[in-house]
Amino acid sequence: MRVLVIGSGAREHALLLALRRDPEVEALAVAPGNPGMAAIADQHDVDITSAEAVTELARRVGADLVVIGPEVPLVLGVADAVRAAGIACFGPSRDAARIEGSKAFAKEVMNAAGVPTAASEIVDNPAHLDAALDRFGPPAGEAAWVVKDDGLAAGKGVVVTADRDAARAHAAGLLDCGHPVLLESFLDGPEVSLFCVVDGETVVPLLAAQDFKRVADGDTGPNTGGMGAYAPLPWLPADVYARIVDEIVKPVAAEMVRRGSAFSGLLYAGLAITSRGPAVVEFNCRFGDPETQSVLPLLDSPLGQLLHAAATGRLAQFPELRWRDGAAVTVVVAAENYPGRPRVGDVIAGAEADGVLHAGTARRADGAIVSSGGRVLSVVGTGADLDAARAAAYSILSSIRLPGSHFRHDIGQTAAEGKIVVKR
Ligand code: GLY
């Protein structure tokens, strides 16, 4: 099988590494890719938001399967075009990708499917903002306002704050740019990311993971695209995992079929485990970043065959997934000033070590690897348990040098210490 992966981040680097372990995968190509992938896949510099360019490339490399990593091409209908050319594609249609592309659409589907989620309201007129903020205010100062961009914002469009002025300023800024704002009630409880391979009503869940969205230790500072992740979740009871699949993901997949927007690809449920059970924070239409970097190293089943089965309507016949024992921890190395405008162009030492996945990197004319984005590297450690995986990740990190960079020191720490508790 020849596989073309679309994307250029550490998530796609992790996809390529897992695809390479599949004995049926004979060749890998990536567009546009990054310098860390050069030894694994042929790289092609095409515009991945262009349906024509991606389809033409898939034909040119003789792809038997195209795997689309990021949400933007999916929301733009690139998977539809690839499939229309007769090439199997792992990724939802433009119609189904609205589960991520429009938070209002996602709420409609969840409400119709009877799935627990935060109460919400869309504000598209600045004159209605203050009254709406008052309706969603935190009770007794305990919780927070959740203010989101009703569109794609790579995690950075979300502000969770107990400070009304900060909530108002963020919402007003989005409205000023012509973006409708989604106000939500805050869901209290530990967060879970559950990735499910879905084809119509067939749902195959992967290991649950947890990511870390705030920039600094102790969940402080602004939200980011993700500063780290670990899998599996030793604190997540098996019955809660089963409820997420049976009471949340399966009903949503069935509702999308009922609406004529059947989902085929990776349905990512972002959840909070509240005292009343799991509730949805958001759905995404693709693998999560950086959780993928922690989930896929633990997958023992052949990823290429799994994704091909989903892309060709044979997921229901795919054998039960096998997983490796142990845990994986991913720590993101971010450029100075991220999640603000990142400093770029610095030489990175240690970027070619095992366990180092590339995201915001480029190769300079003199051959040096330099930073070129906000989230620069994902450093992945695996081990017999979370402690061992943490130690492995931070040991690799200690040999990486990038001036001004920063990373979190506490990825997976509270879970390793047994301090995450599910309230019942
Ligand atoms: N881990 C957050 C995301 O992928 O959207």
Side-chain angles (χ1 to χ4, degrees):
M1 184 184 343
R2 304 176 71 83
V3 186
L4 168 63
V5 172
I6 301 299
S8 62
R11 165 184 53 203
E12 287 76 26
H13 198 163
L15 280 163
L16 288 167
L17 289 173
L19 286 163
R20 189 172 63 163
R21 297 200 305 266
D22 183 333
E24 284 197 11
V25 173
E26 65 196 83
L28 287 168
V30 64
N34 66 42
M37 306 168 177
I40 317 173
D42 292 333
Q43 287 181 251
H44 302 270
D45 191 12
V46 305
D47 174 6
I48 63 165
T49 63
S50 160
E52 296 72 32
V54 172
T55 306
E56 195 277 321
L57 175 63
R59 280 207 192 92
R60 186 150 45 94
V61 301
D64 302 298
L65 174 67
V66 176
V67 178
I68 300 183
E71 60 275 20
V72 172
L74 294 166
V75 168
L76 292 175
V78 171
D80 306 69
V82 173
R83 272 193 284 273
I87 301 168
C89 184
F90 184 79
S93 64
R94 178 207 307 251
D95 201 29
R98 285 182 298 157
I99 195 81
E100 174 166 0
S102 165
K103 296 196 166 54
F105 173 78
K107 289 285 177 191
E108 241 176 75
V109 171
M110 284 188 267
N111 290 339
V115 162
T117 182
S120 67
E121 181 173 333
I122 302 246
V123 183
D124 54 11
N125 180 342
H128 299 160
L129 179 57
D130 284 303
L133 282 169
D134 290 342
R135 282 194 288 283
F136 278 82
E142 283 170 10
W145 279 276
V146 180
V147 183
K148 296 182 175 177
D149 186 337
D150 181 42
L152 297 178
K156 286 179 278 181
V158 184
V159 161
V160 181
T161 178
D163 175 348
R164 189 183 190 284
D165 291 343
R168 191 181 191 293
H170 184 60
L174 292 169
L175 288 165
D176 278 351
C177 300
H179 294 215
V181 167
L182 188 76
L183 294 182
E184 278 186 353
S185 57
F186 180 68
L187 294 172
D188 202 8
E191 289 193 6
V192 171
S193 299
L194 184 68
F195 300 165
C196 296
V197 179
V198 171
D199 178 30
E201 296 206 30
T202 307
V203 172
V204 174
L206 308 188
L207 289 183
Q210 190 177 51
D211 74 345
F212 293 75
K213 297 198 176 74
R214 301 281 189 158
V215 73
D217 288 359
D219 286 328
T220 55
N223 262 29
T224 68
M227 292 298 291
Y230 67 94
L233 307 182
W235 50 268
L236 183 68
D239 65 301
V240 178
Y241 177 92
R243 282 184 65 188
I244 297 171
V245 177
D246 295 337
E247 298 175 18
I248 293 178
V249 184
K250 286 185 178 172
V252 162
E255 173 61 22
M256 293 192 70
V257 171
R258 198 190 64 73
R259 289 173 174 246
S261 305
F263 191 97
S264 175
L266 197 289
L267 188 55
Y268 159 162
L271 309 124
I273 311 303
T274 73
S275 52
R276 289 191 287 178
V280 176
V281 176
E282 65 181 4
F283 274 104
N284 293 316
C285 67
R286 38 81 197 173
F287 281 97
D289 188 344
E291 298 96 313
T292 301
Q293 293 89 301
S294 288
V295 170
L296 291 185
L298 301 172
L299 180 68
D300 202 31
S301 297
L303 181 67
Q305 293 168 57
L306 171 66
L307 304 188
H308 192 262
T312 53
R314 295 174 299 109
L315 184 60
Q317 287 88 55
F318 198 81
E320 191 176 338
L321 296 188
R322 301 184 309 273
W323 293 97
R324 299 172 171 178
D325 290 337
V329 169
T330 299
V331 183
V332 169
V333 179
E336 182 174 328
N337 202 38
Y338 178 81
R341 188 191 176 93
R343 161 176 164 176
V344 296
D346 289 299
V347 173
I348 310 165
E352 280 159 307
D354 278 351
V356 179
L357 308 184
H358 287 218
T361 66
R363 195 176 284 281
R364 223 167 46 181
D366 65 0
I369 302 271
V370 297
S371 57
S372 65
R375 290 191 294 169
V376 180
L377 303 170
S378 277
V379 177
V380 185
T382 54
D385 56 21
L386 265 181
D387 274 325
R390 271 174 51 74
Y394 285 105
S395 155
I396 299 168
L397 242 161
S398 66
S399 62
I400 292 172
R401 296 281 175 271
L402 171 61
S405 64
H406 57 100
F407 60 87
R408 280 186 63 161
H409 303 81
D410 61 348
I411 304 299
Q413 187 177 339
T414 46
E417 291 169 351
K419 288 186 181 157
I420 301 185
V421 179
V422 170
K423 293 192 191 126
R424 305 264 198 171

